[in-house]
């Protein structure tokens, strides 16, 4: 078990997670009878849908694919989730809310400390819950789905993203603003957004690093990821007030 | 016309762009007869496909949709591009190669200067071609498609991404390594990857910023984008050699 994981237990806070780890173990399923009750079937559908949405995107996923993968009827999916969009909503919020809750708990813990939390610790509190989530099997799929969600058309993604994350992200922005009083609100929100872009990309298995630097970087190692990203992002947060960009060669604004 | 655009003309280097702007103007089409010759039809198909792939992802896009949007037959698409994957390849490489070429030209220009280029100028040379591309209508669609590509399954995306970008990205990594001799190759490649994640997210119209900070940030303003991102990313690149991450509260490694 890695050092990073030790320091980052994922709280099982989502009310809909009825099993200890949020997902029924495949090995425990006893065939088509499914004696473990409806909540397991529900999670089973959500797991199957998570994988389909992550692989094929929203438009490419059909309830039939999900039904086949989950080994249930489409009628059962409709019963639980209404529509494809209803299903997607539950898939997204199941883990998205868990990440947001865990971020808030970590920030609260920092605030109970003796001094106002420094930037690096706030960054760490923001990043760790998603990284810890990624260390679980379904969580890894979710990170891919989430990276994808950010490129889905607005009507599919925006409301959900807002519902899961906006409240906590705004509270983090306020904490960063407090730690960086010389920055404008605009700068703080830009830097938050760039941090989100960097972590979504680094955490979502794009395999870009292994391609570019085979044998040099190991994005499978959570200690390496958090070390590299928290160093980069913290420095970005701590950058001086940005000066208007200039073309190289021109030392002053034209 | 913005200052940023002035300093960043997008060179029309892709051999397949036969029209001055790479795309036939909609207004100039004279109906189903299309008197402007085959190269316009080809671009028209590529434009239509770009939009479909950007909106629906690879799996969600069908040649029929593309044919409908481009107002051509599926047979013509097959004639030009073979398969859906062949079409996707051309859509991606058309602009991807243009961005890579423009990056290389900017880096070469920096290297012809009197001193080794500083980190901030290298970062700027990397980011500007994609930002300038985004300021064109089709280029904006392409940025969305590209952000999406990074979350598509490997068999669709990896080869293409490598073909368009690997050579230039490696040369940029080498230039950064030269400017940051205290960093390991691992650190440099990680920071390149985090820069890529940050820019893909900031440039691809996720609208995250407008949601989080309405009226405060304006991601539609290219000057604002390049100012904020180059400040953040340059500071991230210039961060000290990263120390292994620690849980907040522990000042030394446990």
């Amino acid at each position: 078990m890695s050092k990073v994981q030790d320091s980052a237990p994922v709280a099982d806070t989502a009310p809909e997670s009825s099993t200890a780890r949020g997902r029924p173990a495949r090995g425990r399923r006893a065939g088509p009878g499914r004696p473990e009750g409806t909540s397991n079937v529900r999670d089973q559908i959500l797991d199957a849908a998570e994988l389909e949405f992550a692989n094929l995107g929203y438009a490419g996923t059909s309830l039939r694919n999900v039904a086949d993968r989950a080994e249930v009827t489409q009628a059962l999916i409709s019963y639980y989730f209404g529509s494809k969009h209803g299903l997607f909503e539950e898939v997204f919020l199941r883990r998205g809310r868990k990440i947001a809750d865990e971020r808030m708990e970590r920030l609260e813990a920092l605030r109970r400390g003796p001094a106002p939390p420094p930037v690096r610790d706030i960054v760490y509190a923001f990043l760790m819950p998603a990284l810890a989530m990624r260390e679980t099997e379904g969580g890894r799929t979710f990170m891919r789905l989430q990276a994808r969600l950010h490129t889905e058309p607005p009507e599919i993604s925006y409301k959900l993203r807002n519902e899961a994350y906006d409240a906590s992200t705004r509270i983090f922005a306020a904490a960063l603003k407090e730690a960086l009083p010389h920055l404008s609100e605009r700068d703080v929100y830009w830097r938050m957004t760039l941090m989100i872009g960097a972590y979504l990309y680094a955490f979502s298995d794009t395999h870009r690093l292994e391609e570019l630097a085979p044998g040099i970087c190991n994005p499978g190692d959570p200690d390496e990821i958090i070390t590299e990203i928290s160093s980069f992002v913290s420095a970005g947060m701590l950058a001086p007030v940005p000066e208007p960009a200039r073309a190289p060669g021109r030392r002053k604004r034209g």
Side-chain angles (χ1 to χ4, degrees), chain A:
Chain A
M1 171 76 56
S2 94
K3 175 161 47 70
V4 165
Q5 276 179 277
D6 281 345
S7 63
V10 176
D12 203 12
T13 47
E16 63 270 55
S17 291
S18 54
T19 56
R21 289 283 168 198
R23 287 165 34 245
R26 288 267 151 192
R28 281 191 286 125
R29 279 198 294 136
R34 277 182 206 88
E36 292 192 312
T38 49
S39 72
N40 268 1
V41 175
R42 201 174 180 283
D43 276 341
Q44 205 167 299
I45 295 168
L46 290 173
D47 291 343
E50 190 167 60
L51 205 53
E52 291 290 325
F53 285 126
N55 288 342
L56 301 175
Y58 185 81
T61 297
S62 70
L63 289 186
R64 165 154 303 284
N65 297 349
V66 176
D68 287 352
R69 184 180 290 275
E71 296 170 38
V72 299
T73 62
Q74 278 182 252
L76 193 66
I77 300 182
S78 300
Y79 168 75
Y80 275 126
F81 305 102
S83 60
K84 177 160 112 174
H85 194 265
L87 176 62
F88 186 75
E89 221 167 78
E90 293 279 339
V91 165
F92 186 74
L93 294 178
R94 178 171 65 152
R95 293 194 212 270
R97 281 192 187 129
K98 203 178 275 195
I99 290 174
D101 291 350
E102 172 83 0
R103 281 178 181 159
M104 288 305 298
E105 282 163 32
R106 282 173 174 267
L107 187 60
E108 278 306 297
L110 286 178
R111 281 176 160 166
R112 284 193 301 270
V119 167
R120 195 182 165 110
D121 289 354
I122 300 171
V123 164
Y124 198 91
F126 188 85
L127 295 175
M128 273 308 301
L131 185 60
M133 174 71 80
R134 182 180 182 264
E135 293 306 300
T136 65
E137 194 198 323
R140 195 154 190 139
T141 306
F142 175 76
M143 291 310 299
R144 278 199 294 130
L145 176 147
Q146 174 163 270
R148 229 184 154 121
L149 176 75
H150 285 260
T151 62
E152 294 276 11
E155 60 277 17
I156 295 161
S157 61
Y158 289 10
K159 197 181 131 272
L160 277 182
R161 199 167 60 178
N162 300 359
E163 200 172 327
Y165 290 121
D166 274 19
S168 61
T169 298
R170 285 213 180 82
I171 291 168
F172 269 81
L176 283 167
K177 177 91 182 72
E178 229 178 289
L180 299 161
H182 56 289
L183 292 186
S184 68
E185 227 183 325
R186 171 190 291 180
D187 296 332
V188 169
Y189 272 109
W190 264 106
R191 290 175 188 191
M192 285 280 304
T193 304
L194 297 166
M195 168 171 72
I196 291 169
Y199 105 74
L200 284 175
Y201 191 62
F203 290 7
S204 62
D205 279 330
T206 64
H207 299 281
R208 193 76 187 107
L209 258 179
E210 295 96 311
E211 288 168 6
L212 281 172
I216 296 172
C217 302
N218 179 11
D221 175 359
D223 287 333
E224 184 174 322
I225 298 183
I226 191 69
T227 297
E228 294 285 353
I229 195 173
S230 64
S231 142
F232 180 89
V233 167
S234 299
M237 290 286 174
L238 290 161
V241 174
E243 281 177 55
R246 48 163 181 73
R250 283 190 285 148
R251 292 294 143 191
K252 294 196 173 161
R253 292 191 70 184

